[in-house]
Every structure is written in structure tokens, then in C-alpha cells.
């Protein structure tokens, strides 16, 4: 009977029975009991109660029983660390057992028990096993060092295990060498800076000797290690290649790919004139072809790697086109990869064969595959000029089939062919126009519109064709709308008299009736061009277009070189470097190919540190200072959001445009009807002028007059205001120095700024924008600097803020990243705002509510802080805090201590409850905070400390 019987029992009270059986004197009964325990553990039952009884069974000579007990130990040691220590003596004893299998089993199990208390007991047995006479024990111990390093790296270094591992690379047994290399590679990955694998010609020689005799996975470890070595000259590179080449005929595809990786890397150092170089190219093709006879999943991995190899060295597989022809039963993912490689290998010699094959594919039933095949025909036309005519006639044949998706793909690729070979195949336009009604996909519609606009002078009814698209303008996708706008403007410039109305109509649709900023901007620019200088418009819109390149989908060369170094890994399947998908980037090292022997300069680009890294304790600044526009897409530079604090800010804020002078400079009051057209100025020109007029005086004066804060009548104490600090030093902003602080008065938050011009030129055109932040802080109005800022002049102004901007959690929570633009440049800085400016005026909770909420918030959300050197009495503390919107809900005295129970509310609706203990005569206060969002507590404590001490 098989062991499956152990999994079928579901008796109650089983633990007691098992306990009795485990303590039985009969060996067979013990073994049965341990099997039952392991079966229960496997199906998810908790049998940890039997830990001491199972550990007692370790004292046995039976290898099978020992393995089972060790399996149990590995599983439960983490949850029962104190019990696990009981097993240590047995481990130590087993490490000295005469049977090498038991010694290896003991050291392997000790490495798998991830309990800190046990690791120190592991060191002595591990040291012995690393120098054991039996190679099986040594190879197991080598892997154990890597496991131990993962648990406690410092311990491994202190105990000198790394040096012992390095010595094992010279071991006489190839398996020990392979495991030592694997362990050192693993450790080196988590410590990229350490030079653990100190490879030199002697150690490389030892690795190459071991390569012939170890197992397939051992060979992979050694080959991967060789790939990281940099030979000193081309002779050494050739010698390594000669000794690695036999691995290409290995049965395991992983070994083959690892060997290919080493050869591809070292071929960089070989001169192309060498006979050996040509021989090596010939040797590389057969193993890659053999990989394509494996099962589909392996084929796919092989094809993704071949794709990289073909981009780097197409000559390797140039005669092997036929193996990439698609079989009828290939899965779709294999078909698409093969198609891609066929196009990469297409040349004048084989294009007839490829085209015949592609035409066949275009009649298949699989829609995705057919689309890709039609695209492939177009790519072949662009790649191999001599074949273009045949490709175009093939595409026309396919259009005649009238299969909808085939027609649409054909039109998309014919557009590209027109771009590559202008004035050559335009005779087919008539055929394309016949299929206009059947187009329903955005890409195909956009391609057709481009063709009509580009060749409008050859199409008699071009205006009618474009007008037919215009009828459902707002239902079209953005891609089609943009293309239609450009095409109609082209048509107008070619046939101005007949299409005046049409162009007026499309410009009006794009600017007044559209809410898409890209479309609106393009519409305004065309409108402006046409209304001011039609000659310039002609030069811009009808400019000569550059020919499109044959391979737009090639991987960028430096990335390709890096990916070649990762052949046979996940990076080669994703076609992305590991840093793009390995979380945390732990141990990700950028690799690159060695420099070519012919050239003196290395292909390896130096790893540059990111510019503009924060200095000192500054919070992280957005992009590098050297980058003019930074990454404005990341900055989310939309118009500032208008919010309640400012009445005047209801005007359109579209005027603020950090990239230029705003729409007002683009849409000035130009004389109408220049040239042969009569276009009015675009409609948006008016709003910005009125916006500026209505905002009028600086914000600060408006707010203070409104509440009469300066005249002394009805003055409010307001919350604590920190003194201004320098946020952007002049040296980092080409002479512009910005200091500032944050204030909150009567429910309004402001950023009080002081701008100083320390440059030699006048500064104008100021604008400001915030990045998304934790509380949605955003400017409620544009930055108003009315007069130009002359050299050595300082201006103070107050920028009203609201909290209705985009929200994104920052690190730290109160970090605010700011972009300021003037006529010189765009500058970035970041600052920390004090949280108390976000405490709102209606933050007082009633007592019952306070009590209920305090009980309701879990105790783990409570944080306690000490505020030292603050000799305030209860009354003074309460008043100070109240002026910053921290409200006292109740007071009481307990054992000579005054307790203040307080509440505050943040602008985003988060409530924070506080208990402040004040002991008369003691300058230290104790603050306990409870909040449903505990990450806020640290910043609320800082606000308390700031308010009470100032």
C-alpha cells in the first residue's frame, strides 16, 4: 500500500494518539507516527503541539526517519524558536556522523531553519562541513553559507566563511566548485559593491576545467559567472570561447543559452577579420535552431532571446529564414514572435520567399495574426527598397478581398510606405478612397485622413471626403480629431478659395467646442498662423517631411547591449533591464558588453549619479536642476485650481502656462485679416486680459483690507507663523532667491513669499505650480508680481492657497514640491509646511463625541510624545493652542497633574484627539495622540511643540 493512506484520516483526538505513538519503543511505529504527522502538516493541520515528541525521534540511525523529522523541524522552527534550540545538539552530533549523507542532511536543514537564535550554533558545524573530506558534504555546506548570509550577513563575514568559499573555487571536485560559484554569485548580488568573485585568469582556468564535469545546473552557474568576467585581451577571450563552445550542444536549453550569452559577450572583443570569428558565427546558428524544436513555452523563450541576438548580429541566422516560418499549430504567441524575427532577417536575397509566406498568413483565421502579417508586409517594403513595388501590389490584392480588418491594416501600412517613398505609389490612392466607408478603427481612419490631406491636390473631391469625417467630429477619438484638423488645414493651404468655410468650421470645433487641451492648442496655433502669416503657415504645415527609418522598433543600442548580457534570464524575455521589474532594485547591477577591440573608447556609458541630488537635510527636490523643463509631465502642471478662499479667483486660470508666456502672448490683439484670409483672433484671447484686470492688486492687500487685520480694530491673534526661511538659494536659481513661510488667518492659508533678484538682469513673467501632495495644497490664484523685478530688488507677496488640488502621499507627509518659472528658466525646490496651517476652525468636538471617538479608535493607533523645556501653565498652553485651532474639549486634575483633552481637525476631514498632561513646576509635558490615520501623529506632535515653544 502507498503512503497516500496517511492523507485520508480525519479522526478527532488524533494528537493524543500520535503523541503516544511517537513515544513508542518500536521503531516501525515511530516511523508510521512521524509520517502521519508530516501528512497532517502537509494538508494544513496544526501539529506544532507535538514538537518535543517529534524532536525526540531525531536520535535514530534510520535515514528516512531523520529526513522526515528534519522536514517537520524546518516547518515549525520559526513558530517555536525556543523549542527548536532543543534540536541543536542533535544537529551538531549529526554533523560529525560517519555517514556523509547524514552530515550533509544536518547542515542543509540547519541552513533552512531561519531562526536567529540557532544561527550562532550553526557556525562551528558549518566550518567543519566546509572542510569535510566528502565532496557531497562540502557542496551542501557551500550553499548553506549563502543561506546563512541571507539571515545574518555580518555573522558570515565575521566568521570568515566568505574566504573559505573563495578557497572552494579551487576545489578538486567540480560540483563543489559549481556550488561555491553559485553561493558567491548569490551573495555578490545582494552586495553589488563587494568584489567577492575576484576573477583572474587562474581562477577562470579552474572554472573552465570544472565546467566539463559538473551537472547541468552547475554548468549554468559557472557560465553565468564567466559572463561577468572581463578578459584582458582578445587572445584570452578567444581561448575562453573555444572552451565554452562545446556547451552549445548540451541537451538542456538553459545551458545552451548561458553559453550563447558568454560567446555573444566575448565576440565583442574578437576582430571580425579573424577566421575564428567566422567559425564561431557558424557554430552559433545550429543550437539556436535546435531550441525551436522544443515545446511551445521553451520556443517562446528561445525566440525572445533570438530576437535580441538577431538585432545585435543578424549575420548569425541570415541563412536560417525557413525555421522561422509559422506552423499551423503554433500558439499565437510563438507565431507573433516568429513573424517579428522574419522581418528582422528579411533581405534582398530572401524577400520573395518571405512575401509569399506573409501573403499566405494574411488569409489565416486568427485575426491578431493576420493583422500582424499585413503590417509585416509593409515593414518589408520599408526595409527592402527593391521589394516595395511587390509589397504594394500584395497589399492591393489584400484590399480587394474586402475583409474589413485586413483593409484597415493595409491602409495603415500604405501610409508608412508613402512616407518612405514619396511620389512613387500615389496611383493607388483611388483604390484606397473606395474603402473609406468601411473604416471604423481610429488608427485606420487617421491614416486615411492623413493620406487625403497629404495628397489633397491629387484628389478631386478631397474636401467632400474630409467633410464626411467632420460630421461626427466630437465622436471621433483624439488621434482622428488631431489628424482631421491638420488635414483640413493642409487642404486649405493647397486650395484656399474652395475650403474657407470648411477650415473655419474645423477650427471652431477644435477650439470652442472641445475640452481636449492638445486639440485646442493645435487649433489655436493653426488659427494664429493662418490669421497672421499664411506664408509661414505654408512653410510649417506643408514642410518637407523626413523619410521614416526602416526600423523604428529596434531596441535602443545601449539597452540592447545590456540585454545581451542577460540572455537566458527574465530580462531577455521581457526585453527590459532587471531594474525595470525587480522590486526595490536589490542587487541589480547594470551590465554592458566589453569595448570592441578596434575602437579605443568603451561602449560602456559611465554610471552617472543623478544630478541635483538633495544636499544636506533638504527634502527631495523634484527633478535635476540642470534639466530645463524638468519632468513637467510628472509635475502635473495643470492650471492652478481655484478654490473658496479668494473671491477673485473665479476667473479662468488657463492663463498660467509655465512653458511659455501663456495664451495671452499667443493670442494677442493682432490686426485681423492679414493675407488672403479673414480670420478673427481666436476667441480665448479675451478671457486672459479680463482675468488679469479683475485680479488687480496683490493678493496680500486684498485679504488684509477685507478683514482689516492691520488697522488694530478687531485684530485676531491668528495661528503661530514661523519666520521666513530661504527655500531656493540664488546660486541654484540663476540669481533668484526665494524665502517664505506659511500662514493661516481666518480660515485662509497663504504662502508668504519674498523674491529677491540677485542676478544682473531684470526678471519678469513669474508663475508658480505645486506638485501633487499629501493634502492637495494648490495655489488659489496666479503668482502676481506686477512690476518687473530689477537687480537687487526684493518684493514681498502673499499667495493664497486652497486644498482642492490633486492628492498624492508624500515622504515625508508634509513635503511640498514647487516649480517657479520666470523669463529666465523654470526652477524647482521643495519645502516642509507646518501641519498647523491645515488645522480648521471648526475642529472642536463635543464631549460625548470626544469620549465615544477616543474609545472607538484602536489602542495601537495611540502615540505618546514628550515636549521638553516648556514651562507653561495650563491656561497659557490652552490659549496658545486654541489660537492655532487646537481646541480644549475638557480639563481635569488627577494626582496633581492637569489633563487637557483636545481635538483638532485637518482640512481633509481627519480628526486628531489629544491628551496633554501638565505637571505644575515640571517643564516637560506629555502628549498622547489618537487618530485613525496614525502617520499624521508625528507631524501633529511637531506642530504642538512649535506652537507651545514660540
Amino acid at each position: 500500500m502507498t503512503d497516500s493512506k496517511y492523507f485520508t484520516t480525519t479522526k478527532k483526538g488524533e494528537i493524543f494518539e500520535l503523541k503516544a505513538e511517537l513515544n513508542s519503543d518500536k521503531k516501525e511505529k515511530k516511523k508510521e507516527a512521524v509520517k502521519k504527522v508530516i501528512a497532517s502538516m502537509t494538508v494544513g493541520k496544526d501539529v506544532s503541539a507535538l514538537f518535543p515528541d517529534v524532536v525526540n525521534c531525531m536520535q535514530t540511525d534510520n535515514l528516512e526517519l531523520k529526513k522526515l523529522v528534519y522536514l517537520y523541524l524546518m516547518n515549525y522552527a520559526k513558530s517555536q524558536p525556543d523549542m527548536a534550540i532543543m534540536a541543536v545538539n542533535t544537529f551538531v552530533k549529526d554533523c560529525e556522523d560517519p555517514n556523509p549523507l547524514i552530515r550533509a542532511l544536518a547542515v542543509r536543514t540547519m541552513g533552512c531553519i531561519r531562526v536567529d537564535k540557532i544561527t550562532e550554533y550553526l557556525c562551528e558545524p558549518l566550518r567543519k562541513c566546509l572542510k569535510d573530506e566528502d565532496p557531497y558534504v562540502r557542496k551542501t555546506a557551500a550553499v548553506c553559507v549563502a543561506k546563512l548570509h541571507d539571515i545574518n550577513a555580518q555573522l558570515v563575514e565575521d566568521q570568515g566563511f566568505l574566504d573559505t568559499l573563495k578557497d572552494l573555487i579551487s576545489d578538486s571536485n567540480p560540483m563543489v566548485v559549481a556550488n561555491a560559484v553559485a553561493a558567491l554569485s548569490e551573495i555578490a548580488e545582494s552586495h553589488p559593491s563587494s568584489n567577492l568573485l575576484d576573477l583572474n585568469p587562474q581562477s577562470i582556468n579552474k572554472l573552465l576545467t570544472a565546467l566539463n564535469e559538473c551537472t547541468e545546473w552547475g554548468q549554468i552557474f559557472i557560465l553565468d559567472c564567466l559572463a561577468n568576467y572581463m578578459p584582458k585581451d582578445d587572445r584570452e577571450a578567444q581561448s575562453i570561447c573555444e572552451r565554452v563552445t562545446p556547451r552549445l550542444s548540451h541537451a538542456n536549453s538553459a545551458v545552451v543559452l548561458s553559453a550563447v550569452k558568454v560567446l555573444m559577450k566575448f565576440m565583442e572583443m574578437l576582430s571580425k577579420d579573424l577566421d575564428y570569428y567566422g567559425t564561431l558565427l557558424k557554430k552559433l546558428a545550429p543550437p539556436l535552431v535546435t531550441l525551436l524544436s522544443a515545446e511551445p513555452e521553451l520556443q517562446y523563450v528561445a525566440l525572445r532571446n533570438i530576437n535580441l541576438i538577431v538585432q545585435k548580429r543578424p549575420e548569425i541566422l541570415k541563412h536560417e529564414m525557413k525555421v522561422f516560418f509559422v506552423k499551423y499549430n503554433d500558439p499565437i504567441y510563438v507565431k507573433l514572435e516568429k513573424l517579428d524575427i522574419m522581418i528582422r532577417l528579411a533581405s534582398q536575397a530572401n524577400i520573395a520567399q518571405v512575401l509569399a509566406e506573409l501573403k499566405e498568413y494574411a488569409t489565416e483565421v486568427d485575426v491578431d495574426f493576420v493583422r500582424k502579417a499585413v503590417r509585416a508586409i509593409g515593414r518589408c517594403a520599408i526595409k527592402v527598397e527593391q521589394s516595395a513595388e511587390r509589397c504594394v501590389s500584395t497589399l492591393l490584392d489584400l484590399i480587394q478581398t474586402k475583409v474589413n480588418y485586413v483593409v484597415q491594416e493595409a491602409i495603415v501600412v500604405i501610409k508608412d510606405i508613402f512616407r518612405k517613398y514619396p511620389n512613387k505609389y500615389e496611383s493607388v490612392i483611388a483604390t484606397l478612397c473606395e474603402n473609406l466607408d468601411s473604416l471604423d478603427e481610429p488608427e485606420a481612419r487617421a491614416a486615411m485622413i492623413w493620406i487625403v490631406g497629404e495628397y489633397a491636390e491629387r484628389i478631386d473631391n478631397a474636401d467632400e471626403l474630409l467633410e464626411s469625417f467632420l460630421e461626427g467630429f466630437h465622436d471621433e477619438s483624439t488621434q482622428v480629431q488631431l489628424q482631421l484638423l491638420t488635414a483640413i488645414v493642409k487642404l486649405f493651404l493647397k486650395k484656399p478659395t474652395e475650403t474657407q468655410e470648411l477650415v473655419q468650421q474645423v477650427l471652431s470645433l477644435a477650439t470652442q467646442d472641445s475640452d481636449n487641451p492638445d486639440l485646442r492648442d493645435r487649433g489655436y496655433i493653426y488659427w494664429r498662423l493662418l490669421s497672421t502669416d499664411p506664408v509661414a503657415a505654408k512653410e510649417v504645415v506643408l514642410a518637407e517631411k523626413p523619410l521614416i527609418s526602416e526600423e523604428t522598433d529596434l531596441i535602443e543600442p545601449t539597452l540592447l547591449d545590456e540585454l545581451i548580457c542577460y540572455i537566458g534570464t527574465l530580462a531577455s524575455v521581457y526585453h527590459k533591464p532587471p531594474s525595470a521589474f525587480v522590486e526595490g532594485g536589490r542587487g541589480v547591477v547594470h551590465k554592458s558588453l566589453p569595448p570592441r577591440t578596434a575602437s579605443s573608447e568603451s561602449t560602456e556609458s559611465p554610471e552617472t549619479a543623478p544630478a541635483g541630488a538633495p544636499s544636506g537635510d533638504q527634502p527631495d527636490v523634484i527633478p535635476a536642476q540642470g534639466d530645463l523643463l524638468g519632468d513637467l509631465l510628472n509635475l502635473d502642471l495643470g492650471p492652478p485650481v481655484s478654490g473658496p478662499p479668494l473671491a477673485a479667483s473665479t476667473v479662468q486660470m488657463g492663463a498660467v502656462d509655465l512653458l511659455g508666456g501663456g495664451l495671452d502672448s499667443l493670442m494677442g490683439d493682432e490686426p485681423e485679416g492679414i493675407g488672403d484670409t479673414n480670420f478673427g483672433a481666436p476667441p480665448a484671447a479675451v478671457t486672459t486680459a479680463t482675468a488679469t484686470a479683475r485680479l488687480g492688486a496683490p493678493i496680500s492687500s486684498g485679504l488684509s483690507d477685507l478683514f482689516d487685520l492691520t488697522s488694530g480694530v478687531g485684530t485676531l491673534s491668528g495661528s503661530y507663523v514661523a519666520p521666513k526661511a530661504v527655500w531656493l538659494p540664488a546660486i541654484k536659481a540663476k540669481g533668484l532667491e526665494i524665502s517664505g513661510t506659511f500662514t493661516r488667518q481666518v480660515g485662509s492659508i497663504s504662502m508668504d513669499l519674498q523674491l529677491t533678484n540677485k542676478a544682473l538682469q531684470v526678471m519678469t513673467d513669474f508663475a508658480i505650480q505645486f506638485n501633487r501632495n499629501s493634502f492637495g495644497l494648490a495655489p488659489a490664484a496666479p503668482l502676481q508680481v506686477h512690476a518687473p523685478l530689477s537687480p537687487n530688488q526684493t518684493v514681498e507677496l502673499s499667495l493664497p492657497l486652497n486644498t482642492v488640488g490633486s492628492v498624492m502621499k508624500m515622504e515625508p507627509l508634509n513635503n511640498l514640491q514647487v516649480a517657479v518659472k520666470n523669463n529666465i528658466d523654470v526652477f524647482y525646490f521643495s519645502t516642509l509646511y507646518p501641519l498647523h496651517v491645515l488645522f480648521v476652525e471648526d475642529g472642536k468636538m463635543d464631549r460625548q463625541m470626544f469620549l465615544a471617538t477616543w474609545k472607538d479608535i484602536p489602542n495601537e493607533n495611540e502615540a505618546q510624545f514628550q515636549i521638553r523645556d516648556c514651562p507653561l501653565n495650563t491656561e497659557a498652553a490652552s490659549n496658545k493652542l486654541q489660537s492655532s485651532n487646537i481646541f480644549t474639549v475638557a480639563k481635569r486634575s488627577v494626582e496633581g497633574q492637569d489633563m487637557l483633552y483636545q481635538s483638532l481637525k485637518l482640512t481633509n476631514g481627519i480628526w486628531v484627539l489629544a491628551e496633554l498632561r501638565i505637571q505644575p513646576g515640571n517643564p516637560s509635558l506629555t502628549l498622547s495622540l489618537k487618530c485613525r490615520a496614525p502617520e499624521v501623529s508625528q507631524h501633529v506632535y511637531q506642530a504642538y511643540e512649535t506652537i507651545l515653544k514660540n
Side-chain angles (χ1 to χ4, degrees):
M1 194 172 170
T2 63
D3 286 350
S4 60
K5 63 182 179 186
Y6 298 112
F7 292 92
T8 54
T9 165
T10 52
K11 284 190 297 186
K12 296 261 190 252
E14 206 178 5
I15 298 282
F16 295 107
E17 287 178 27
L18 286 172
K19 202 178 183 75
E21 286 177 27
L22 286 168
N23 294 314
S24 161
D25 297 334
K26 293 180 181 160
K27 282 187 178 176
E28 272 313 304
K29 220 166 187 185
K30 258 189 188 178
K31 197 158 114 184
E32 291 287 304
V34 174
K35 282 187 177 179
K36 286 178 190 170
V37 171
I38 298 290
S40 301
M41 179 179 92
T42 308
V43 295
K45 285 186 191 166
D46 182 11
V47 282
S48 56
L50 297 169
F51 201 95
D53 306 289
V54 177
V55 170
N56 285 337
C57 299
M58 280 173 82
Q59 315 287 348
T60 174
D61 302 331
N62 185 320
L63 190 60
E64 187 184 0
L65 181 56
K66 217 178 237 315
K67 278 185 176 175
L68 290 169
V69 175
Y70 279 172
L71 190 62
Y72 177 90
L73 264 176
M74 280 189 238
N75 199 32
Y76 281 117
K78 203 159 189 150
S79 57
Q80 309 256 352
D82 298 330
M83 293 284 221
I85 290 183
M86 291 164 41
V88 166
N89 285 336
T90 315
F91 280 134
V92 175
K93 220 163 88 185
D94 281 356
C95 284
E96 293 174 3
D97 195 278
N99 183 344
L101 290 176
I102 289 182
R103 296 203 297 275
L105 181 63
V107 82
R108 179 186 291 124
T109 309
M110 285 169 88
C112 292
I113 296 178
R114 303 178 66 84
V115 176
D116 286 336
K117 289 181 183 173
I118 289 186
T119 44
E120 52 207 68
Y121 298 106
L122 229 174
C123 297
E124 229 20 71
L126 181 57
R127 187 174 286 110
K128 285 180 187 164
C129 289
L130 281 167
K131 299 199 167 125
D132 198 282
E133 73 231 16
D134 193 286
Y136 181 71
V137 181
R138 291 201 301 278
K139 87 176 181 70
T140 309
V143 177
C144 189
V145 173
K147 289 179 181 170
L148 185 59
H149 187 275
D150 196 36
I151 303 167
N152 189 340
Q154 197 55 50
L155 182 73
V156 170
E157 286 165 31
D158 296 345
Q159 294 283 341
F161 287 146
L162 294 179
D163 298 325
T164 318
L165 261 189
K166 288 179 189 171
D167 296 342
L168 287 182
I169 289 184
S170 312
D171 198 277
S172 57
N173 185 290
M175 268 320 299
V176 178
V177 175
N179 277 18
V181 167
L184 282 170
S185 304
E186 179 91 5
I187 294 169
E189 266 187 16
S190 56
H191 290 68
S193 51
S194 63
N195 189 16
L196 289 177
L197 278 162
D198 185 15
L199 299 173
N200 52 42
Q202 290 74 34
S203 56
I204 287 292
N205 196 23
K206 287 171 186 159
L207 291 183
L208 287 165
T209 309
L211 187 62
N212 299 321
E213 299 168 36
C214 56
T215 65
E216 49 198 24
W217 297 110
Q219 291 181 32
I220 293 166
F221 289 132
I222 291 176
L223 287 167
D224 285 350
C225 179
L226 285 173
N228 294 329
Y229 176 61
M230 187 67 77
K232 60 180 189 298
D233 56 24
D234 55 342
R235 282 183 56 194
E236 190 185 358
Q238 182 174 336
S239 148
I240 293 173
C241 288
E242 283 168 354
R243 294 177 70 178
V244 167
T245 311
R247 299 299 110 216
L248 291 173
S249 53
H250 201 286
N252 184 325
S253 51
V255 176
V256 175
L257 282 176
S258 293
V260 169
K261 169 167 63 183
V262 175
L263 297 173
M264 285 292 291
K265 196 166 176 184
F266 291 170
M267 276 171 83
E268 286 292 304
M269 298 186 71
L270 303 179
S271 163
K272 290 192 175 182
D273 309 333
L274 279 175
D275 292 343
Y276 180 69
Y277 182 84
T279 315
L280 196 53
L281 282 181
K282 285 183 191 143
K283 282 184 178 171
L284 273 169
L288 292 173
V289 170
T290 308
L291 290 177
L292 297 183
S293 53
E295 52 266 40
E297 293 79 5
L298 280 181
Q299 275 188 56
Y300 178 72
V301 173
L303 286 164
R304 291 294 279 173
N305 281 280
I306 288 170
N307 200 326
L308 295 173
I309 293 165
V310 166
Q311 287 186 51
K312 185 72 188 167
R313 298 194 186 282
E315 62 270 28
I316 292 177
L317 288 161
K318 66 180 177 190
H319 301 305
E320 303 291 346
M321 177 62 89
K322 275 195 171 163
V323 294
F324 299 107
F325 284 175
V326 172
K327 299 191 182 109
Y328 76 96
N329 58 351
D330 279 340
I332 182 69
Y333 53 89
V334 171
K335 285 180 175 175
L336 296 179
E337 274 310 308
K338 282 185 172 178
L339 207 51
D340 211 26
I341 296 169
M342 279 170 67
I343 300 157
R344 296 203 193 287
L345 291 175
S347 64
Q348 207 176 330
N350 57 23
I351 193 72
Q353 208 182 3
V354 173
L355 269 181
E357 195 71 14
L358 291 175
K359 193 171 178 183
E360 200 64 40
Y361 299 160
T363 58
E364 287 256 352
V365 288
D366 190 327
V367 177
D368 282 339
F369 181 52
V370 171
R371 284 173 179 277
K372 189 99 181 206
V374 176
R375 283 224 175 174
I377 295 171
R379 278 173 62 188
C380 288
I382 290 166
K383 187 175 181 192
V384 185
E385 188 168 346
Q386 295 77 0
S387 73
E389 195 142 344
R390 291 178 65 172
C391 291
V392 172
S393 66
T394 307
L395 288 169
L396 286 176
D397 292 348
L398 290 173
I399 288 176
Q400 297 307 341
T401 62
K402 299 290 183 197
V403 178
N404 191 309
Y405 54 88
V406 176
V407 172
Q408 310 216 47
E409 284 298 330
I411 286 177
V412 172
V413 295
I414 286 175
K415 177 201 77 173
D416 289 339
I417 294 172
F418 285 169
R419 285 282 309 274
K420 176 75 176 171
Y421 310 112
N423 305 320
K424 208 164 176 187
Y425 301 109
E426 280 71 15
S427 53
V428 307
I429 291 176
T431 316
L432 301 184
C433 291
E434 289 166 16
N435 294 284
L436 209 108
D437 299 334
S438 64
L439 306 181
D440 52 15
E441 287 169 19
E443 202 178 356
R445 288 171 78 82
M448 192 65 225
I449 291 167
W450 181 86
I451 291 169
V452 173
E454 190 65 16
Y455 301 102
E457 69 279 10
R458 304 181 188 204
I459 304 172
D460 300 333
N461 60 339
D463 50 343
E464 289 171 27
L465 294 178
L466 291 176
E467 202 165 358
S468 67
F469 283 104
L470 206 56
E471 286 160 11
F473 186 77
H474 289 303
D475 303 329
E476 299 284 5
S477 70
T478 307
Q479 183 184 9
V480 177
Q481 289 178 333
L482 287 165
Q483 202 55 266
L484 191 53
L485 173 61
T486 305
I488 291 178
V489 171
K490 282 181 187 171
L491 174 67
F492 170 74
L493 290 169
K494 292 174 181 177
K495 303 180 179 177
T497 46
E498 306 146 44
T499 50
Q500 174 102 23
E501 270 182 38
L502 189 61
V503 79
Q504 282 277 17
Q505 192 185 347
V506 77
L507 286 174
S508 158
L509 284 169
T511 53
Q512 292 168 341
D513 305 344
S514 168
D515 52 6
N516 181 322
D518 291 345
L519 185 62
R520 262 206 323 264
D521 287 354
R522 192 181 290 192
Y524 281 135
I525 287 170
Y526 284 154
W527 197 323
R528 176 75 165 184
L529 268 171
L530 294 170
S531 61
T532 53
D533 191 350
V535 180
K538 229 171 190 160
E539 284 174 12
V540 171
V541 182
L542 301 179
E544 188 97 344
K545 283 164 200 60
L547 300 183
I548 59 173
S549 73
E550 56 189 62
E551 290 284 9
T552 46
D553 61 335
L554 280 176
I555 294 174
E556 187 260 327
T558 49
L559 174 58
L560 180 62
D561 286 354
E562 187 176 349
L563 292 177
I564 292 287
C565 301
Y566 285 110
I567 283 177
T569 66
L570 208 50
S572 67
V573 179
Y574 285 158
H575 288 189
K576 287 178 181 174
S579 52
F581 59 86
V582 176
E583 259 193 21
R586 183 193 128 171
V588 170
V589 190
H590 285 287
K591 298 182 181 179
S592 67
L593 294 177
R596 287 214 64 83
T597 45
S599 68
S600 56
E601 65 185 51
S602 164
T603 53
E604 187 168 359
S605 60
E607 289 287 306
T608 50
S615 59
D617 55 359
Q618 276 283 82
D620 292 351
V621 178
I622 309 153
Q625 200 69 35
D627 175 4
L628 174 65
L629 294 177
D631 184 358
L632 288 179
L633 294 173
N634 280 354
L635 245 186
D636 192 21
L637 290 178
V641 191
S642 57
L646 189 76
S649 67
T650 50
V651 299
Q652 279 190 308
M653 290 298 170
V656 181
D657 169 14
L658 287 192
L659 297 175
L663 277 178
D664 44 345
S665 63
L666 185 66
M667 307 296 178
D669 300 326
E670 291 289 333
E672 292 185 9
I674 297 179
D676 58 351
T677 56
N678 185 18
F679 285 90
V686 195
T687 56
T688 47
T690 52
T692 326
R694 277 205 272 167
L695 276 168
I699 308 301
S700 54
S701 67
L703 268 178
S704 50
D705 291 352
L706 184 63
F707 294 109
D708 199 13
L709 293 177
T710 48
S711 61
V713 183
T715 306
L716 293 166
S717 55
S719 65
Y720 164 71
V721 179
K724 285 193 177 82
V726 176
W727 286 341
L728 182 66
I731 196 160
K732 285 191 177 175
K734 302 184 181 176
L736 172 65
E737 182 179 279
I738 301 180
S739 308
T741 185
F742 292 89
T743 62
R744 183 182 185 94
Q745 285 183 318
V746 204
S748 299
I749 308 169
S750 303
M751 182 193 252
D752 290 350
L753 294 168
Q754 180 176 303
L755 309 182
T756 305
N757 181 357
K758 295 190 174 180
L760 298 173
Q761 67 191 95
V762 173
M763 294 182 181
T764 57
D765 302 336
F766 284 90
I768 192 165
Q769 190 61 57
F770 295 175
N771 197 358
R772 291 182 292 181
N773 53 76
S774 308
F775 292 91
L777 275 178
L783 185 62
Q784 299 278 327
V785 182
H786 286 291
L789 196 59
S790 309
N792 295 321
Q793 188 186 350
T794 296
V795 63
E796 298 209 355
L797 38 103
S798 184
L799 177 72
L801 308 180
N802 60 38
T803 51
V804 294
S806 300
V807 174
M808 177 174 78
K809 189 175 177 187
M810 300 297 284
E811 192 58 53
L813 204 63
N814 57 339
N815 189 10
L816 180 65
Q817 299 177 331
V818 184
V820 170
K821 171 245 171 198
N822 63 12
N823 58 323
I824 299 172
D825 207 339
V826 181
F827 308 106
Y828 303 95
F829 64 87
S830 65
T831 180
L832 302 175
Y833 49 88
L835 213 64
H836 66 261
V837 300
L838 303 174
F839 298 170
V840 297
E841 282 65 24
D842 60 347
K844 185 164 185 176
M845 223 181 228
D846 72 61
R847 289 183 178 208
Q848 296 308 109
M849 187 71 177
F850 183 94
L851 204 59
T853 311
W854 185 276
K855 285 179 183 168
D856 195 36
I857 296 174
N859 286 336
E860 54 266 29
N861 282 23
E862 186 171 347
Q864 206 169 59
F865 304 94
Q866 290 291 324
I867 300 173
R868 304 187 191 286
D869 306 325
C870 186
L872 287 176
N873 63 23
T874 314
E875 195 65 33
S878 178
N879 289 344
K880 261 194 172 190
L881 292 166
Q882 179 138 355
S883 67
S884 289
N885 296 338
I886 300 174
F887 299 97
T888 302
V889 176
K891 280 184 204 174
R892 66 186 181 123
S893 290
V894 181
E895 297 171 2
Q897 280 190 343
D898 290 340
M899 318 277 255
L900 292 181
Y901 295 97
Q902 298 178 314
S903 69
L904 63 97
K905 184 172 145 193
L906 294 164
T907 49
N908 58 0
I910 292 177
W911 284 92
V912 182
L913 310 187
E915 177 193 80
L916 186 64
R917 295 183 194 187
I918 302 175
Q919 189 152 14
N922 184 352
S924 285
L925 316 181
T926 305
L927 175 68
S928 299
L929 295 173
K930 259 193 166 188
C931 176
R932 293 193 195 281
E935 58 268 32
V936 172
S937 300
Q938 176 67 31
H939 301 281
V940 172
Y941 150 67
Q942 286 165 0
Y944 260 87
E945 192 168 46
T946 307
I947 295 163
L948 290 170
K949 288 188 176 180
N950 291 290

